[in-house]
Amino acid sequence: LSDSATPLLSYLNALGYSGTDPLDSSQTHQGDVPMAVKVGAEPPSFSLLDQDRNPVTLDNLKGRKSLIVFIPFPFTGICDSEVCAIRDQLAALNDLDANVVVITCHATQVTKKWSDENQFTFPVLSDYWPHGVAATSFGAFNWDVGTANRMTFVLDDDGVVRTIIDSGSLGTPREFEEYVAALGEIDE
């Protein structure tokens, strides 16, 4: 275990991860990193900076239903269309009393420029350093390309995961209607 990997592995171990060192390039990661978040459980805590460098934590989301939306690549067609759909239909999410946070493994400078250009009014969080720790703790990190998979975690107002929406592919978008349906089911 290299010294540079120790903090990340220690953090992941504290979250209950018991796999191999995620920074050891001699290890294969496809399939050996368990889904850290399960439906019916609280997700791991996080503290990440938004596009304006304000800290956002999991505790900030409690009290309202929430969408935690992981995206792989800002400034690309699929990510732009997915997140702009959220922006354009934010009133529907507000009607469901839902927070939205988007998380990407890119630096805050990238999230700031992307947010400003697209006029996002919700937090876009940087999971850049340590690289992908939040995505890894949620089980959403893609080890092959070093970014988040296209996954959304739908939380109730107590912060418990009620649904996980996984597109299954970096090239497959999630549909906005899935968010509305999943949030609506929480009240049923």
Side-chain angles (χ1 to χ4, degrees), residues 68-85:
I68 300 176
V69 182
F70 284 92
I71 64 155
F73 305 114
F75 296 106
T76 60
I78 295 173
C79 291
D80 285 2
S81 66
E82 282 188 315
V83 181
C84 286

Side-chain angles (χ1 to χ4, degrees), residues 100-152:
V100 175
V101 296
V102 174
I103 302 177
T104 180
C105 295
H106 292 77
T108 53
Q109 297 88 338
V110 174
T111 64
K112 176 68 172 162
K113 184 166 179 54
W114 190 56
S115 297
D116 287 351
E117 286 185 11
N118 289 290
Q119 301 175 344
F120 298 143
T121 58
F122 42 82
V124 179
L125 309 181
S126 172
D127 189 18
Y128 181 68
W129 197 255
H131 189 72
V133 169
T136 299
S137 69
F138 274 74
F141 193 75
N142 184 311
W143 294 101
D144 293 329
V145 293
T147 193
N149 282 314
R150 207 171 290 284
M151 296 177 74
T152 301

